[in-house]
Amino acid sequence: DVKVTQSSRYLVKRTGEKVFLECVQDMDHENMFWYRQDPGLGLRLIYFSYDVKMKEKGDIPEGYSVSREKKERFSLILESASTNQTSMYLCASTGRYEQYFGPGTRLTVT
Amino acid sequence: EDQVTQSPEALRLQEGESSSLNCSYTVSGLRGLFWYRQDPGKGPEFLFTLYSAGEEKEKERLKATLTKKESFLHITAPKPEDSATYLCAVQASRGTGNQFYFGTGTSLTVIP
């Protein structure tokens, strides 16, 4: 019954490293989203994509980029990781009537 | 400004003590209002989508309702396993796509 999967549950990276977070959905959804979640700040939208090779900036895109080469896969890239990017990263996939989240990736940048 | 506000921030209930969580919004172009349950360290779990004022959805001990400016999540006779953070989000049309605006959640604790 798995619908949205993320490549890692926990990740530890060093400052300056390039980090790839992958998200795969099996529901043939067109819309996919990347959020980060921090205590007291809730969910904040980083990027979203409404079609293959299409992407739109969310509220906090700085320091991030995305890639959507195939409909089922949406990747988030941290070009040069910094400590303020330590967070829980959540991918979501949206159909017409529902939105499903992945299990999240807890990223720690040291 | 597009905003979604949830109240209370935290709620402690005795097992069996019914209550309601509130989600109010000031978002234009509403497409739908979503409720989720989130357990610590996990991704949000989709519960309901409501589309128009007057609509209601039920799932076990949970019932969600929607008015023009707010939604309520009613919890009837809660059990300890209902303890979680409950999030609401408003889906709105933006440009060529849809965007979600999230509240910061209500943390529910049900005491046996």
Side-chain angles (χ1 to χ4, degrees):
Chain A
D1 192 39
V2 174
K3 294 180 172 65
V4 182
T5 57
Q6 293 184 227
S7 49
S8 306
R9 288 301 310 275
Y10 300 95
L11 210 51
V12 180
K13 295 292 182 181
R14 294 197 178 274
T15 301
E17 280 193 81
K18 192 168 186 176
V19 182
F20 293 86
L21 303 180
E22 285 209 322
C23 175
V24 178
Q25 52 97 359
D26 64 359
M27 296 167 284
D28 201 35
H29 287 165
E30 292 180 344
N31 298 311
M32 297 185 73
F33 301 77
W34 273 106
Y35 298 92
R36 63 178 283 178
Q37 187 175 34
D38 301 288
L41 296 177
L43 278 145
R44 292 182 290 168
L45 180 64
I46 305 171
Y47 268 95
F48 65 103
S49 168
Y50 51 87
D51 203 351
V52 176
K53 297 191 185 293
M54 305 299 285
K55 59 186 179 184
E56 294 277 349
K57 291 180 180 179
D59 299 319
I60 51 164
E62 296 78 19
Y64 303 94
S65 62
V66 290
S67 173
R68 187 134 181 235
E69 296 296 318
K70 293 184 178 181
K71 192 175 187 179
E72 67 271 19
R73 191 179 299 269
F74 191 34
S75 301
L76 180 69
I77 303 150
L78 285 68
E79 297 291 343
S80 177
S82 63
T83 54
N84 63 13
Q85 292 179 310
T86 291
S87 186
M88 169 72 102
Y89 288 87
L90 290 161
C91 172
S93 173
T94 302
R96 187 170 179 179
Y97 301 110
E98 68 287 320
Q99 183 181 54
Y100 292 102
F101 281 84
T105 295
R106 172 74 64 185
L107 173 67
T108 302
V109 183
T110 61
Chain B
E1 181 188 359
D2 296 318
Q3 196 164 353
V4 177
T5 303
Q6 290 188 248
S7 63
E9 286 187 17
L11 182 63
R12 288 173 66 91
L13 298 173
Q14 289 292 135
E15 185 172 359
E17 179 187 0
S18 301
S19 187
S20 295
L21 281 55
N22 178 263
C23 172
S24 62
Y25 59 92
T26 54
V27 177
S28 59
L30 175 77
R31 298 288 301 274
L33 187 140
F34 292 64
W35 281 100
Y36 308 84
R37 171 197 169 119
Q38 187 175 24
D39 293 301
K42 296 186 178 181
E45 174 191 345
F46 169 73
L47 293 173
F48 306 109
T49 308
L50 302 165
Y51 293 99
S52 56
E55 189 176 0
E56 297 182 353
K57 294 270 180 77
E58 284 189 67
K59 181 179 181 179
E60 295 179 353
R61 295 177 291 283
L62 301 175
K63 183 167 89 171
T65 61
L66 181 64
T67 70
K68 284 188 176 180
K69 289 297 178 188
E70 58 188 359
S71 176
F72 292 93
L73 184 66
H74 307 277
I75 303 176
T76 303
K79 298 182 177 181
E81 53 262 42
D82 294 322
S83 297
T85 295
Y86 290 85
L87 296 170
C88 78
V90 170
Q91 182 188 30
S93 55
R94 291 291 180 268
T96 53
N98 296 317
Q99 192 161 331
F100 286 78
Y101 298 88
F102 280 85
T104 52
T106 293
S107 176
L108 173 67
T109 303
V110 181
I111 304 161

Coordinates of all heavy atoms in Angstrom, one line a residue, chain B residues 14-93:
Chain B
Q14 N -9.2 13.8 28.4 CA -9.4 12.5 29.0 C -10.0 11.6 28.0 O -10.7 12.0 27.1 CB -10.3 12.6 30.2 CG -9.7 13.3 31.4 CD -8.5 12.6 32.0 OE1 -7.5 13.1 32.3 NE2 -8.7 11.3 32.2
E15 N -9.6 10.3 28.0 CA -10.2 9.4 27.2 C -11.7 9.4 27.3 O -12.3 9.5 28.4 CB -9.8 7.9 27.5 CG -10.2 6.9 26.6 CD -9.6 5.5 26.9 OE1 -8.8 5.4 27.8 OE2 -9.9 4.6 26.2
G16 N -12.4 9.5 26.1 CA -13.9 9.6 26.1 C -14.4 11.0 26.1 O -15.6 11.3 25.9
E17 N -13.5 12.0 26.3 CA -14.0 13.4 26.4 C -13.9 14.0 25.0 O -12.9 14.3 24.4 CB -13.0 14.2 27.3 CG -13.4 15.7 27.4 CD -12.3 16.4 28.2 OE1 -11.3 15.8 28.7 OE2 -12.5 17.7 28.4
S18 N -15.1 14.3 24.4 CA -15.2 14.8 23.0 C -14.8 16.3 23.0 O -15.0 17.0 23.9 CB -16.6 14.6 22.5 OG -17.0 13.3 22.5
S19 N -14.3 16.7 21.8 CA -13.9 18.1 21.6 C -13.7 18.4 20.1 O -14.0 17.5 19.3 CB -12.6 18.4 22.3 OG -12.3 19.7 22.3
S20 N -13.4 19.7 19.8 CA -13.3 20.1 18.4 C -12.0 20.9 18.3 O -11.6 21.6 19.1 CB -14.4 20.9 18.0 OG -15.6 20.2 18.0
L21 N -11.4 20.7 17.1 CA -10.2 21.5 16.7 C -10.7 22.4 15.6 O -11.5 22.1 14.7 CB -9.1 20.5 16.1 CG -8.2 19.8 17.1 CD1 -9.0 18.9 18.0 CD2 -7.3 18.9 16.3
N22 N -10.1 23.6 15.6 CA -10.5 24.6 14.6 C -9.4 24.9 13.6 O -8.2 25.0 13.9 CB -10.9 25.9 15.4 CG -11.3 27.0 14.4 OD1 -10.5 27.9 14.1 ND2 -12.5 27.0 13.9
C23 N -9.8 25.2 12.4 CA -8.9 25.7 11.3 C -9.6 26.8 10.6 O -10.6 26.6 9.9 CB -8.6 24.5 10.3 SG -7.7 25.0 8.9
S24 N -9.1 28.0 10.7 CA -9.7 29.2 10.0 C -8.7 29.6 8.9 O -7.5 29.5 9.1 CB -10.0 30.3 11.0 OG -8.8 30.8 11.6
Y25 N -9.2 30.2 7.9 CA -8.4 30.5 6.7 C -8.8 31.8 6.1 O -10.0 32.2 6.1 CB -8.4 29.4 5.7 CG -9.7 29.0 5.1 CD1 -10.2 29.6 4.0 CD2 -10.5 28.1 5.8 CE1 -11.4 29.3 3.5 CE2 -11.8 27.8 5.3 CZ -12.2 28.4 4.1 OH -13.4 28.0 3.6
T26 N -7.8 32.5 5.5 CA -8.0 33.7 4.7 C -7.3 33.5 3.4 O -6.3 34.1 3.2 CB -7.6 35.0 5.4 OG1 -6.2 34.8 5.8 CG2 -8.4 35.3 6.7
V27 N -7.7 32.6 2.6 CA -7.1 32.2 1.4 C -8.1 32.4 0.3 O -9.2 31.8 0.3 CB -6.6 30.7 1.4 CG1 -6.0 30.4 0.1 CG2 -5.6 30.5 2.5
S28 N -7.7 33.1 -0.8 CA -8.6 33.2 -1.9 C -8.4 32.1 -2.9 O -7.4 31.4 -2.9 CB -8.3 34.6 -2.6 OG -7.0 34.6 -3.1
G29 N -9.4 31.8 -3.7 CA -9.3 30.8 -4.7 C -9.3 29.4 -4.1 O -8.7 28.5 -4.6
L30 N -10.1 29.2 -3.1 CA -10.2 27.9 -2.4 C -10.6 26.8 -3.4 O -11.6 26.9 -4.0 CB -11.2 27.9 -1.2 CG -11.4 26.6 -0.5 CD1 -10.2 26.3 0.4 CD2 -12.7 26.6 0.3
R31 N -9.8 25.7 -3.4 CA -10.1 24.5 -4.2 C -10.6 23.4 -3.2 O -11.4 22.6 -3.6 CB -8.9 24.0 -5.0 CG -8.4 25.0 -6.0 CD -9.4 25.1 -7.2 NE -9.6 23.9 -7.8 CZ -8.8 23.4 -8.8 NH1 -7.8 24.1 -9.2 NH2 -9.1 22.2 -9.4
G32 N -10.0 23.4 -2.0 CA -10.3 22.3 -1.1 C -9.6 22.6 0.2 O -8.7 23.3 0.3
L33 N -10.2 22.0 1.3 CA -9.5 22.0 2.6 C -9.2 20.6 3.1 O -10.1 19.7 3.0 CB -10.5 22.7 3.6 CG -9.8 23.0 5.0 CD1 -10.2 24.4 5.5 CD2 -10.1 21.9 6.0
F34 N -8.0 20.4 3.5 CA -7.5 19.1 3.8 C -7.2 18.9 5.2 O -6.6 19.9 5.8 CB -6.2 18.8 3.0 CG -6.4 18.7 1.5 CD1 -6.9 19.7 0.7 CD2 -6.1 17.5 0.8 CE1 -7.0 19.6 -0.7 CE2 -6.3 17.3 -0.5 CZ -6.7 18.4 -1.3
W35 N -7.5 17.8 5.8 CA -7.1 17.5 7.2 C -6.1 16.3 7.1 O -6.3 15.3 6.4 CB -8.3 17.1 8.0 CG -9.0 18.3 8.6 CD1 -10.2 18.8 8.1 CD2 -8.7 19.1 9.7 NE1 -10.6 19.9 8.8 CE2 -9.7 20.1 9.8 CE3 -7.6 19.1 10.6 CZ2 -9.7 21.0 10.8 CZ3 -7.6 20.0 11.6 CH2 -8.7 21.0 11.7
Y36 N -5.1 16.4 8.0 CA -4.1 15.3 8.1 C -3.8 15.0 9.6 O -4.0 15.8 10.5 CB -2.7 15.7 7.6 CG -2.8 16.3 6.2 CD1 -3.1 17.6 5.9 CD2 -2.5 15.5 5.1 CE1 -3.1 18.1 4.7 CE2 -2.5 16.0 3.8 CZ -2.8 17.3 3.6 OH -2.8 17.8 2.3
R37 N -3.4 13.8 9.8 CA -2.9 13.4 11.2 C -1.4 13.1 11.0 O -0.9 12.5 10.0 CB -3.5 12.1 11.6 CG -2.9 11.5 12.8 CD -3.3 10.0 13.0 NE -2.5 9.4 14.0 CZ -3.0 8.9 15.2 NH1 -4.4 8.9 15.4 NH2 -2.2 8.4 16.1
Q38 N -0.6 13.6 12.0 CA 0.9 13.4 11.9 C 1.4 12.9 13.2 O 1.2 13.5 14.3 CB 1.6 14.7 11.5 CG 3.1 14.4 11.3 CD 3.9 15.7 10.8 OE1 3.4 16.8 11.0 NE2 5.0 15.4 10.1
D39 N 2.0 11.7 13.2 CA 2.7 11.2 14.4 C 4.1 11.6 14.4 O 4.7 11.9 13.3 CB 2.6 9.6 14.3 CG 1.2 9.2 14.5 OD1 0.6 9.5 15.5 OD2 0.6 8.5 13.6
P40 N 4.7 11.7 15.6 CA 6.1 12.2 15.7 C 7.1 11.5 14.8 O 7.1 10.2 14.7 CB 6.5 12.0 17.1 CG 5.1 12.0 17.8 CD 4.2 11.3 16.9
G41 N 7.9 12.3 14.0 CA 8.9 11.7 13.2 C 8.4 11.1 11.9 O 9.2 10.4 11.1
K42 N 7.1 11.2 11.6 CA 6.5 10.6 10.4 C 5.9 11.7 9.5 O 5.7 12.8 9.9 CB 5.5 9.6 10.7 CG 6.1 8.4 11.5 CD 5.0 7.4 11.7 CE 5.6 6.1 12.4 NZ 4.6 5.1 12.6
G43 N 5.6 11.3 8.2 CA 5.0 12.2 7.3 C 3.5 12.3 7.7 O 2.9 11.4 8.3
P44 N 2.8 13.4 7.3 CA 1.4 13.6 7.6 C 0.6 12.5 6.8 O 0.9 12.1 5.7 CB 1.1 15.0 7.0 CG 2.3 15.7 7.1 CD 3.4 14.7 6.8
E45 N -0.5 12.0 7.5 CA -1.3 11.0 6.9 C -2.6 11.7 6.5 O -3.3 12.3 7.3 CB -1.6 9.9 8.0 CG -2.6 8.9 7.5 CD -3.1 8.0 8.7 OE1 -2.4 8.0 9.7 OE2 -4.1 7.3 8.5
F46 N -3.0 11.6 5.2 CA -4.2 12.2 4.7 C -5.5 11.6 5.4 O -5.6 10.4 5.5 CB -4.3 12.0 3.2 CG -5.6 12.4 2.6 CD1 -5.9 13.7 2.4 CD2 -6.4 11.4 2.1 CE1 -7.1 14.0 1.8 CE2 -7.6 11.7 1.5 CZ -8.0 13.1 1.4
L47 N -6.4 12.5 5.8 CA -7.6 12.1 6.4 C -8.8 12.4 5.6 O -9.6 11.6 5.2 CB -7.8 12.8 7.8 CG -6.8 12.4 8.9 CD1 -7.0 13.3 10.1 CD2 -7.0 10.9 9.3
F48 N -9.0 13.7 5.3 CA -10.2 14.2 4.6 C -9.9 15.3 3.6 O -9.0 16.1 3.9 CB -11.3 14.8 5.6 CG -11.7 13.9 6.7 CD1 -11.3 14.2 8.0 CD2 -12.5 12.8 6.5 CE1 -11.6 13.5 9.0 CE2 -12.9 12.0 7.6 CZ -12.4 12.4 8.9
T49 N -10.8 15.5 2.6 CA -10.8 16.7 1.8 C -12.2 17.2 1.8 O -13.2 16.4 1.6 CB -10.4 16.4 0.4 OG1 -9.1 15.8 0.3 CG2 -10.2 17.8 -0.4
L50 N -12.4 18.5 2.1 CA -13.7 19.1 2.0 C -13.7 20.2 0.9 O -12.7 20.9 0.8 CB -14.1 19.8 3.3 CG -14.1 18.8 4.5 CD1 -14.1 19.6 5.8 CD2 -15.3 17.9 4.5
Y51 N -14.8 20.3 0.2 CA -14.7 21.2 -1.0 C -15.7 22.4 -0.9 O -15.4 23.5 -1.5 CB -15.0 20.5 -2.3 CG -14.0 19.5 -2.6 CD1 -14.1 18.1 -2.3 CD2 -12.8 19.9 -3.2 CE1 -13.1 17.2 -2.6 CE2 -11.8 19.0 -3.6 CZ -12.0 17.7 -3.2 OH -11.0 16.8 -3.6
S52 N -16.8 22.3 -0.2 CA -17.7 23.4 -0.2 C -18.4 23.5 1.2 O -18.5 22.5 2.0 CB -18.8 23.1 -1.2 OG -19.5 21.9 -1.0
A53 N -18.8 24.7 1.5 CA -19.4 25.0 2.8 C -20.6 24.1 3.0 O -21.4 23.9 2.1 CB -19.9 26.5 2.8
G54 N -20.7 23.5 4.2 CA -21.8 22.6 4.5 C -21.4 21.2 4.4 O -22.1 20.3 4.9
E55 N -20.3 20.9 3.8 CA -19.9 19.5 3.6 C -19.3 18.9 4.8 O -18.7 19.6 5.7 CB -18.8 19.5 2.5 CG -18.4 18.1 2.0 CD -17.5 18.1 0.9 OE1 -17.0 19.2 0.4 OE2 -17.1 17.0 0.4
E56 N -19.6 17.6 5.0 CA -19.1 16.9 6.2 C -18.5 15.6 5.7 O -19.0 15.0 4.8 CB -20.2 16.6 7.2 CG -20.8 17.9 7.8 CD -21.9 17.5 8.8 OE1 -22.3 16.3 9.0 OE2 -22.4 18.4 9.5
K57 N -17.4 15.2 6.4 CA -16.8 13.9 6.2 C -16.5 13.2 7.5 O -16.2 13.9 8.5 CB -15.5 14.0 5.4 CG -15.6 14.5 4.0 CD -15.8 13.5 3.0 CE -16.0 14.0 1.6 NZ -14.7 14.4 1.0
E58 N -16.7 11.9 7.6 CA -16.5 11.1 8.8 C -15.6 10.0 8.6 O -15.6 9.3 7.5 CB -17.8 10.6 9.4 CG -18.7 11.6 10.0 CD -19.9 11.0 10.7 OE1 -19.7 10.3 11.7 OE2 -21.0 11.2 10.3
K59 N -14.8 9.7 9.6 CA -13.9 8.5 9.6 C -13.7 8.1 11.1 O -13.1 8.8 11.8 CB -12.6 8.8 9.0 CG -11.6 7.6 8.9 CD -10.3 8.0 8.2 CE -9.4 6.9 8.1 NZ -8.1 7.3 7.4
E60 N -14.3 7.0 11.4 CA -14.2 6.4 12.8 C -14.7 7.5 13.8 O -15.8 7.9 13.7 CB -12.8 5.9 13.1 CG -12.4 4.8 12.2 CD -11.0 4.3 12.5 OE1 -10.2 4.9 13.3 OE2 -10.6 3.2 11.9
R61 N -13.8 8.0 14.7 CA -14.2 8.9 15.7 C -14.0 10.4 15.2 O -14.3 11.3 16.0 CB -13.4 8.7 17.0 CG -13.6 7.3 17.6 CD -12.8 7.1 18.8 NE -11.4 6.9 18.5 CZ -10.9 5.8 18.0 NH1 -11.6 4.8 17.8 NH2 -9.6 5.8 17.6
L62 N -13.7 10.6 14.0 CA -13.4 11.9 13.5 C -14.5 12.4 12.5 O -14.9 11.6 11.7 CB -12.0 12.0 12.8 CG -10.8 11.6 13.6 CD1 -9.6 11.6 12.7 CD2 -10.6 12.5 14.7
K63 N -14.9 13.6 12.7 CA -15.8 14.2 11.7 C -15.3 15.6 11.4 O -15.1 16.4 12.3 CB -17.2 14.3 12.2 CG -18.2 14.8 11.2 CD -19.7 14.6 11.6 CE -20.2 15.7 12.4 NZ -21.7 15.6 12.6
A64 N -15.2 15.9 10.1 CA -14.7 17.2 9.6 C -15.9 18.0 9.0 O -16.7 17.4 8.2 CB -13.6 17.1 8.7
T65 N -16.0 19.3 9.3 CA -17.0 20.1 8.7 C -16.4 21.4 8.2 O -15.3 21.7 8.6 CB -18.1 20.5 9.8 OG1 -17.4 21.2 10.8 CG2 -18.8 19.3 10.4
L66 N -17.1 22.0 7.2 CA -16.5 23.2 6.6 C -17.6 24.3 6.5 O -18.7 24.0 6.1 CB -16.0 22.8 5.2 CG -15.4 23.9 4.3 CD1 -14.1 24.4 5.0 CD2 -15.1 23.4 2.9
T67 N -17.2 25.5 6.8 CA -18.0 26.7 6.6 C -17.2 27.6 5.6 O -16.1 27.2 5.1 CB -18.3 27.5 7.8 OG1 -17.0 28.1 8.3 CG2 -18.8 26.6 8.9
K68 N -17.6 28.8 5.3 CA -17.0 29.6 4.3 C -15.6 30.1 4.8 O -14.8 30.4 4.0 CB -17.9 30.8 4.0 CG -19.0 30.4 3.1 CD -19.8 31.7 2.6 CE -20.8 31.3 1.6 NZ -21.6 32.5 1.1
K69 N -15.4 30.2 6.1 CA -14.1 30.7 6.6 C -13.4 29.8 7.6 O -12.3 30.1 8.0 CB -14.4 32.0 7.3 CG -14.8 33.2 6.4 CD -13.6 33.4 5.4 CE -14.0 34.5 4.4 NZ -13.0 34.7 3.3
E70 N -14.0 28.6 7.9 CA -13.3 27.8 8.8 C -13.8 26.3 8.7 O -14.8 26.0 8.1 CB -13.5 28.2 10.3 CG -14.9 28.3 10.8 CD -15.0 29.0 12.1 OE1 -13.9 29.4 12.7 OE2 -16.1 29.2 12.6
S71 N -13.0 25.4 9.3 CA -13.3 24.0 9.4 C -13.1 23.6 10.8 O -12.3 24.1 11.5 CB -12.4 23.2 8.4 OG -12.7 21.8 8.5
F72 N -13.9 22.6 11.2 CA -13.8 21.9 12.5 C -13.5 20.5 12.3 O -14.1 19.8 11.4 CB -15.0 22.2 13.3 CG -15.3 23.6 13.7 CD1 -16.1 24.4 12.9 CD2 -14.7 24.1 14.8 CE1 -16.3 25.7 13.2 CE2 -14.9 25.4 15.2 CZ -15.7 26.2 14.4
L73 N -12.6 20.0 13.2 CA -12.4 18.5 13.3 C -12.9 18.1 14.6 O -12.4 18.4 15.7 CB -10.9 18.2 13.1 CG -10.6 16.7 13.1 CD1 -11.2 16.0 11.8 CD2 -9.1 16.4 13.1
H74 N -14.1 17.4 14.6 CA -14.7 17.0 15.8 C -14.2 15.6 16.2 O -14.2 14.7 15.3 CB -16.2 16.9 15.7 CG -16.8 18.2 15.2 ND1 -17.1 19.3 16.0 CD2 -17.2 18.6 13.9 CE1 -17.6 20.3 15.3 NE2 -17.6 19.9 14.0
I75 N -13.8 15.4 17.4 CA -13.3 14.1 17.9 C -14.3 13.6 19.0 O -14.4 14.2 20.0 CB -11.9 14.2 18.4 CG1 -10.9 14.8 17.3 CG2 -11.4 12.8 18.9 CD1 -9.5 15.0 17.8
T76 N -14.9 12.5 18.6 CA -15.9 11.9 19.6 C -15.3 10.8 20.3 O -14.8 9.8 19.8 CB -17.1 11.5 18.8 OG1 -17.7 12.5 18.0 CG2 -18.2 10.9 19.7
A77 N -15.5 10.8 21.7 CA -15.0 9.8 22.6 C -13.6 9.3 22.2 O -13.4 8.2 21.8 CB -16.0 8.6 22.6
P78 N -12.6 10.3 22.2 CA -11.2 9.9 21.8 C -10.6 8.8 22.6 O -10.9 8.7 23.8 CB -10.5 11.2 21.9 CG -11.2 12.0 22.9 CD -12.7 11.6 22.8
K79 N -9.7 8.1 22.0 CA -8.9 7.1 22.7 C -7.4 7.5 22.6 O -7.0 8.4 21.8 CB -9.0 5.7 21.9 CG -10.4 5.2 21.9 CD -10.5 3.9 21.2 CE -11.9 3.3 21.3 NZ -12.0 2.0 20.7
P80 N -6.6 7.0 23.5 CA -5.1 7.3 23.5 C -4.5 7.2 22.2 O -3.6 8.1 21.9 CB -4.5 6.4 24.5 CG -5.7 6.0 25.5 CD -6.9 6.0 24.6
E81 N -4.9 6.3 21.3 CA -4.3 6.2 20.0 C -4.6 7.3 19.1 O -4.0 7.4 18.0 CB -4.6 4.8 19.4 CG -6.1 4.5 19.3 CD -6.6 3.6 20.4 OE1 -6.1 3.8 21.6 OE2 -7.4 2.7 20.2
D82 N -5.5 8.2 19.5 CA -5.8 9.3 18.7 C -4.8 10.5 18.9 O -4.9 11.5 18.3 CB -7.3 9.9 19.0 CG -8.3 8.9 18.5 OD1 -8.1 8.2 17.4 OD2 -9.3 8.7 19.2
S83 N -4.0 10.3 19.9 CA -2.9 11.3 20.2 C -2.0 11.5 19.0 O -1.5 10.5 18.5 CB -2.1 10.9 21.4 OG -2.9 10.8 22.6
A84 N -1.9 12.7 18.5 CA -1.1 13.0 17.4 C -1.2 14.5 17.1 O -2.0 15.2 17.8 CB -1.6 12.3 16.1
T85 N -0.5 15.1 16.1 CA -0.7 16.4 15.7 C -1.6 16.4 14.5 O -1.4 15.6 13.6 CB 0.6 17.1 15.3 OG1 1.4 17.2 16.5 CG2 0.4 18.5 14.8
Y86 N -2.7 17.3 14.5 CA -3.6 17.3 13.4 C -3.4 18.6 12.6 O -3.4 19.7 13.2 CB -5.0 17.2 13.9 CG -5.3 15.9 14.5 CD1 -5.0 15.5 15.8 CD2 -5.9 14.9 13.6 CE1 -5.2 14.2 16.2 CE2 -6.2 13.6 14.1 CZ -5.8 13.3 15.4 OH -6.0 12.0 15.9
L87 N -3.1 18.5 11.3 CA -2.8 19.6 10.5 C -4.0 19.8 9.5 O -4.6 18.9 9.1 CB -1.6 19.3 9.6 CG -0.2 19.1 10.3 CD1 0.8 18.6 9.4 CD2 0.2 20.4 10.9
C88 N -4.2 21.1 9.2 CA -5.1 21.4 8.1 C -4.4 22.2 7.1 O -3.4 22.9 7.4 CB -6.4 22.1 8.6 SG -6.2 23.8 8.9
A89 N -4.9 22.1 5.8 CA -4.3 22.9 4.7 C -5.4 23.3 3.8 O -6.3 22.5 3.6 CB -3.2 22.0 4.0
V90 N -5.2 24.4 3.2 CA -6.1 24.9 2.2 C -5.4 24.8 0.8 O -4.3 25.3 0.7 CB -6.5 26.4 2.5 CG1 -7.3 27.0 1.3 CG2 -7.3 26.4 3.7
Q91 N -6.1 24.2 -0.1 CA -5.6 24.2 -1.5 C -6.2 25.3 -2.3 O -7.4 25.5 -2.3 CB -5.9 22.8 -2.1 CG -5.4 22.6 -3.5 CD -6.0 21.4 -4.2 OE1 -7.1 21.0 -3.9 NE2 -5.2 20.8 -5.1
A92 N -5.3 26.1 -3.0 CA -5.8 27.2 -3.7 C -5.2 27.2 -5.1 O -4.1 26.8 -5.3 CB -5.5 28.5 -3.0
S93 N -5.9 27.8 -6.1 CA -5.4 27.8 -7.4 C -4.5 29.0 -7.5 O -4.8 30.1 -7.0 CB -6.5 28.0 -8.4 OG -7.3 29.1 -8.1

